[in-house]
């Protein structure tokens, strides 16, 4: 087989093959590729599972930057993977993001076992819940066994403790068998500081730009053509070789690129091309702090052509409505929380050029509601970020009543945006989801521990109240308790989520992409909020007192309600109990 590697500055390159059955390693001198002089190549014996590495200028043996497998972790030898060996079982025509309901899942804590095979065993729960896609948090290898995955390296490989490449294929196959699409979270804006050997091979990073994690990935400096090709190849490989249905792109605002054609536009075009080639829908979902709708504007219309993006403004507005929190970036939303929620539900972004007190400047750009379908924005009440980056990783269920949780679910699952849930949210999980690491470098582990405690000490937290990321118990506390859905109050919350998702699936008004058609009414003082979606009305009472909500819908029929309620009479007024909600249809 052909082994090749990009190393433009190397004077010498050796392929090192590990001998079988205790045999010594074999070293083979590589030659520059005649057609691509910055590349080195060689033909050598190799099959699925063959261990190999590269030595640059006589240095240590390093893993392949494009390694498809790292059996012994990021610092070990790479292994050949023959993707044709896997026999796919589930026929799959694909599933697009239109009318989707996503479910964010962290493999390492979805089950106590923390493996892809164990997670696959719980997919029946998601099929019964009614979601359409599983969004897997990052799977690339990282040092140690447990972590969030955002410090991964080897962008073409699967974390071995999760089960490696074959386990991911089994998971995707099982998900497709349940009718579920799979979205994979990928990190292109930085690589982990530990186990990252890319700088030994070439200019994968540049000092021209900087990110919160250090030097930026080289997207526009000399050598960036190959770095962009590296990232594009990784992205397309997940979609092609693993039959993934879409990618979630982490923090795209940190992708520093001054070239005329932005990397994201190039990636979107490549994914659309692969979609046409394999004849199934493929999607790109951006996480962005920019509030810039050009990300999701088609390329023909002057945008970058991504298919969707997370909408943190909806989360922030909903969070302040439910919790009353007003610190940090919640401040602007908390000034008039129901008004903030109303703006996001009808305009897409809250900050659309308005002043952001958190940033100390104007922020965002208006969404063109005539050109931007609402489903291109993802709406959510909770995510891994919004839970795990709290001091103690506390979910909404740790502080809110079941009724308020039900109100949050109603606004999310009947709203105009593509809904996304975070694992365990659907039954008001009592387990936290905390920040945990398993760094094998003692200095890095201590630096992360100190940094975490210092960050929250500045906000008044005592050091002993901040979970130690390196303590295995921090990860163990974060694992879902699968006995909870069978008992109250969790079972009732789970039934509510199932009912709302079923309504979204059967009622076309709830997936109407016209953001301009959404109508809202609210009373900040009384604490009620109502949404009109076509012939449907969604009403929530967030106060501790009963509310009379003028829906203007006489004799509307109650489709679903958290607490028993009577249909509005001739006056069109719905009377809701405290901290309760209902979905109604015009009779």
């Amino acid at each position: 087989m052909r082994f090749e590697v990009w190393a433009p500055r190397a004077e010498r390159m050796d392929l090192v093959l590990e001998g079988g059955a205790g045999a010594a390693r074999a070293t083979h001198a590589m030659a520059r590729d005649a057609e691509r002089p910055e590349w080195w190549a060689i033909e050598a014996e190799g099959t699925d599972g063959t261990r190999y590495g590269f030595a640059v200028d006589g240095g240590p043996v390093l893993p392949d930057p494009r390694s498809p497998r790292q059996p012994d972790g990021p610092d070990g030898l790479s292994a050949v993977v023959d993707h044709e060996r896997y026999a796919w079982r589930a026929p799959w025509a694909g599933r697009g993001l239109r009318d989707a309901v996503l479910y964010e899942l962290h493999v390492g804590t979805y089950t106590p076992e923390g493996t892809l095979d164990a997670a696959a065993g719980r997919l029946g729960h998601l099929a019964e819940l009614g979601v359409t896609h599983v969004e897997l948090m990052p799977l690339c290898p990282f040092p140690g066994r447990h972590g969030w995955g955002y410090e991964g390296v080897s962008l073409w490989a699967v974390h071995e403790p999760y089960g490696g490449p074959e386990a991911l294929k089994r998971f995707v196959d099982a998900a497709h068998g349940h009718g579920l699409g799979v979205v994979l979270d990928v990190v292109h804006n930085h690589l982990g500081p530990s186990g990252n050997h890319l700088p030994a091979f070439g200019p994968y990073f540049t000092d021209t730009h900087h990110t919160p994690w250090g030097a930026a990935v080289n997207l526009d400096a000399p050598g960036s053509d190959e770095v962009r090709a590296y990232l594009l190849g990784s992205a397309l490989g997940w979609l092609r070789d693993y039959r993934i249905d879409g990618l979630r792109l982490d923090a795209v605002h940190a992708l520093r690129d001054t070239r005329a054609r932005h990397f994201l536009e190039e990636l979107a075009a490549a994914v659309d091309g692969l979609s046409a080639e394999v004849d199934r829908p493929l999607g790109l979902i951006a996480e962005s702090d920019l509030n810039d709708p050009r990300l999701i504007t088609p390329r023909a219309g002057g945008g970058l052509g991504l298919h969707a993006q997370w909408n943190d403004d909806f989360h922030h507005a909903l969070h302040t409505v439910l919790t009353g929190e007003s610190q940090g970036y919640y401040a602007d939303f908390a000034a008039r929380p129901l008004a903030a929620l109303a703006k996001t539900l009808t305009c897409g972004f809250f900050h659309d050029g308005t002043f952001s007190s958190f940033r100390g400047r104007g922020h965002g750009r208006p969404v063109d509601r005539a050109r931007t379908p609402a489903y291109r924005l993802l709406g959510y009440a909770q995510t891994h970020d919004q839970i795990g980056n709290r001091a103690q990783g506390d979910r909404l269920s740790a502080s809110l009543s079941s009724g308020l949780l039900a109100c949050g679910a109603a606004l999310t699952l009947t709203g105009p945006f593509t809904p996304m849930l975070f694992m365990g949210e659907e039954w008001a999980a009592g387990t936290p989801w905390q920040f945990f690491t398993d760094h094998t470098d003692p200095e890095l582990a201590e630096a992360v521990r100190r940094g975490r405690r210092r960050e929250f000490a500045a906000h008044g937290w005592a050091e002993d109240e901040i979970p130690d990321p390196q303590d295995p118990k921090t990860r163990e506390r974060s694992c879902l308790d699968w006995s909870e859905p069978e008992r109250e109050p969790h079972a009732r919350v789970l039934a509510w989520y199932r009912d709302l998702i079923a309504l979204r699936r059967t009622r076309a008004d709830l997936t109407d992409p016209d953001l301009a058609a959404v109508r809202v009414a609210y009373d900040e003082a009384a604490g009620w909020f109502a949404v009109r979606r076509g012939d449907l009305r969604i009403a929530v009472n967030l106060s501790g007192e009963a509310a009379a909500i003028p829906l203007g819908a006489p004799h509307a029929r109650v489709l679903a309600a958290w607490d028993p309620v009577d249909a509005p009479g001739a006056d069109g007024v719905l009377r809701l109990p405290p901290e309760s909600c209902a979905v109604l249809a015009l009779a």
Side-chain angles (χ1 to χ4, degrees):
M1 61 175 292
R2 180 180 174 87
F3 294 86
E4 59 182 14
V5 64
W6 177 61
R9 300 167 182 164
E11 297 295 328
R12 170 185 160 194
M13 182 67 63
D14 293 317
L15 167 69
V16 179
L17 295 175
E18 186 173 77
R25 291 181 174 180
T27 300
H28 305 272
M30 303 178 72
R32 288 190 180 275
D33 190 307
E35 297 182 359
R36 297 182 300 167
E38 293 186 338
W39 283 76
W40 299 76
I42 190 173
E43 297 283 340
E45 291 295 324
T47 60
D48 186 81
T50 296
R51 305 284 185 95
Y52 71 99
F54 299 115
V56 184
D57 293 331
V61 181
L62 301 175
D64 183 357
R66 287 169 167 76
S67 170
R69 186 181 177 195
Q70 289 298 118
D72 301 313
D75 295 314
L77 290 179
S78 300
V80 173
V81 172
D82 179 1
H83 288 293
E84 299 301 320
R85 291 181 70 246
Y86 185 82
W88 293 93
R89 300 182 301 276
W92 185 246
R95 190 159 196 173
L97 294 174
R98 180 74 170 88
D99 301 339
V101 178
L102 278 69
Y103 185 96
E104 190 184 22
L105 184 158
H106 178 261
V107 169
T109 49
Y110 189 60
T111 67
E113 298 87 348
T115 65
L116 283 156
D117 285 332
R122 294 287 184 179
L123 288 172
H125 164 79
L126 300 184
E128 292 177 7
L129 178 62
V131 300
T132 63
H133 291 72
V134 182
E135 183 177 301
L136 296 174
M137 288 176 62
L139 299 179
C140 291
F142 53 86
R145 178 175 180 82
H146 298 297
W148 280 19
Y150 291 95
E151 293 187 342
V153 295
S154 297
L155 298 189
W156 301 51
V158 179
H159 191 49
E160 204 69 18
Y162 289 164
E166 290 288 298
L168 177 55
K169 291 175 183 175
R170 291 192 294 269
F171 179 92
V172 174
D173 219 357
H176 290 169
H178 283 285
L180 299 167
V182 180
V183 175
L184 177 62
D185 195 339
V186 296
V187 185
H188 290 161
N189 52 61
H190 74 291
L191 282 86
S194 182
N196 178 11
H197 301 288
L198 292 180
F201 290 91
Y204 282 89
F205 301 91
T206 174
D207 290 329
T208 304
H209 310 292
H210 290 273
T211 74
W213 310 284
V217 173
N218 179 14
L219 297 175
D220 56 5
S224 58
D225 285 355
E226 291 290 353
V227 178
R228 293 162 77 106
Y230 172 78
L231 297 176
L232 288 169
S234 168
L236 297 179
W238 297 118
L239 301 170
R240 181 187 58 247
D241 299 331
Y242 292 91
R243 296 195 180 183
I244 299 288
D245 298 283
L247 302 175
R248 183 262 191 187
L249 309 175
D250 181 64
V252 300
H253 50 270
L255 294 172
R256 311 298 188 189
D257 183 6
T258 60
R259 291 172 61 159
R261 191 186 192 198
H262 195 281
F263 169 72
L264 290 175
E265 180 183 354
E266 188 175 354
L267 175 60
V271 169
D272 287 345
L274 180 61
S275 175
E277 177 186 328
V278 299
D279 194 26
R280 59 184 173 90
L282 302 172
L284 291 173
I285 304 171
E287 180 203 19
S288 173
D289 185 44
L290 302 177
N291 279 22
D292 187 351
R294 287 175 293 190
L295 279 174
I296 53 175
T297 298
R299 294 184 297 281
L304 298 183
L306 302 182
H307 305 96
Q309 71 174 89
W310 282 26
N311 186 2
D312 273 352
D313 278 17
F314 173 75
H315 168 272
H316 298 346
L318 182 58
H319 188 87
T320 58
V321 163
L322 295 173
T323 68
E325 293 182 11
S326 59
Q327 72 278 12
Y329 47 65
Y330 292 131
D332 292 335
F333 299 86
R336 295 179 61 230
L338 292 183
L341 181 62
K343 182 177 180 182
T344 58
L345 285 172
T346 56
C347 297
F349 295 142
F350 175 76
H351 284 304
D352 54 6
T354 60
F355 182 79
S356 164
S357 62
F358 176 71
R359 298 171 179 84
R361 58 169 175 79
H363 181 64
R365 184 185 185 99
V367 172
D368 184 344
R369 297 186 298 174
R371 294 199 305 162
T372 307
Y375 64 79
R376 292 196 184 278
L377 297 174
L378 267 62
Y380 35 84
Q382 302 181 73
T383 70
H384 77 273
D385 268 331
Q386 302 300 340
I387 299 171
N389 285 326
R390 295 172 68 86
Q392 296 184 324
D394 50 309
R395 298 169 179 265
L396 289 176
S397 54
S399 57
L400 298 184
S401 68
S402 295
L404 286 178
L405 293 175
C407 290
L411 290 167
T412 302
L413 289 166
T414 67
F417 312 128
T418 296
M420 184 180 74
L421 314 179
F422 181 69
M423 62 178 197
E425 172 189 341
E426 72 274 21
W427 72 70
T431 51
W433 201 75
Q434 299 176 333
F435 179 71
F436 53 89
T437 57
D438 187 23
H439 291 302
T440 53
D441 180 342
E443 291 186 7
L444 180 58
E446 182 58 28
V448 170
R449 183 184 292 114
R450 288 198 311 267
R452 187 79 175 174
R453 288 173 173 170
R454 186 165 52 246
E455 175 187 356
F456 288 102
H459 298 285
W461 291 86
E463 280 198 10
D464 59 1
E465 294 178 315
I466 307 303
D468 178 0
Q470 285 286 119
D471 185 344
K473 291 186 175 60
T474 304
R475 177 261 169 184
E476 292 168 10
R477 283 192 297 270
S478 301
C479 291
L480 290 177
D481 178 356
W482 282 92
S483 70
E484 286 184 340
E486 301 172 1
R487 62 178 189 267
E488 297 298 348
H490 308 285
R492 183 184 177 196
V493 175
L494 177 57
W496 179 242
Y497 270 80
R498 285 174 174 163
D499 288 347
L500 290 172
I501 293 173
L503 279 177
R504 188 174 188 89
R505 184 172 59 249
T506 57
R507 291 280 175 166
D509 283 337
L510 295 181
T511 52
D512 180 358
D514 185 1
L515 194 58
V518 179
R519 296 288 184 270
V520 298
Y522 59 91
D523 187 320
E524 293 274 8
W528 61 259
F529 192 92
V531 184
R532 188 180 84 187
R533 309 278 328 269
D535 287 338
L536 300 184
R537 304 291 186 270
I538 301 93
V540 301
N541 177 15
L542 303 154
S543 76
E545 305 290 335
I549 304 176
L551 289 183
H555 309 296
R557 182 163 49 95
V558 178
L559 298 179
W562 176 248
D563 291 309
V565 295
D566 294 327
D571 60 359
V573 174
L574 175 69
R575 288 165 174 80
L576 270 182
E579 299 181 353
S580 191
C581 49
V583 181
L584 303 93
L586 298 183

